[in-house]
Amino acid sequence: MPVKVFIVDDHELVREALSTLLESDEEVQLVGEAATGRDALTKLASTQTDVALLDLRLPDIDGIELCREIGSAHPEIRCL
């Protein structure tokens, strides 16, 4: 069973590079991506994510606070 990963980064090229890298691994399934913390919180509600890869510097909320909010709303999701 693959690890389901969600990417949060405001730089499109970083998201694309991470997506390409992760999709090449059979043990990883990319389930979504977002450019802002608020968008991530909205999208995570409709996915079955195991791990959220977070940028520390986002335009609307920093990655540490986003990790706290994800943990509160979705305690099953691990943040990196």
Side-chain angles (χ1 to χ4, degrees), residues 6 12-13 17 19 38 48 50 55 58 60 65 76 80:
F6 191 98
E12 185 176 355
L13 289 176
S19 295
R38 296 292 165 223
Q48 295 182 346
D50 296 315
D55 184 0
L58 296 166
D60 59 345
E65 182 59 30
E76 71 283 2
L80 292 174

Side-chain angles (χ1 to χ4, degrees), residues 7 12-26 28 30 33:
I7 299 170
E12 185 176 355
L13 289 176
V14 172
R15 288 194 317 271
E16 287 178 11
L18 287 171
S19 295
T20 300
L21 179 67
L22 293 173
E23 288 175 338
S24 69
D25 189 330
E26 294 177 5
V28 176
L30 184 63
E33 59 182 61

Side-chain angles (χ1 to χ4, degrees), residues 54-70:
L54 310 178
D55 184 0
L56 287 177
R57 294 185 182 133
L58 296 166
D60 59 345
I61 182 173
D62 71 63
I64 302 297
E65 182 59 30
L66 178 57
C67 184
R68 288 184 186 120
E69 291 191 29
I70 291 171

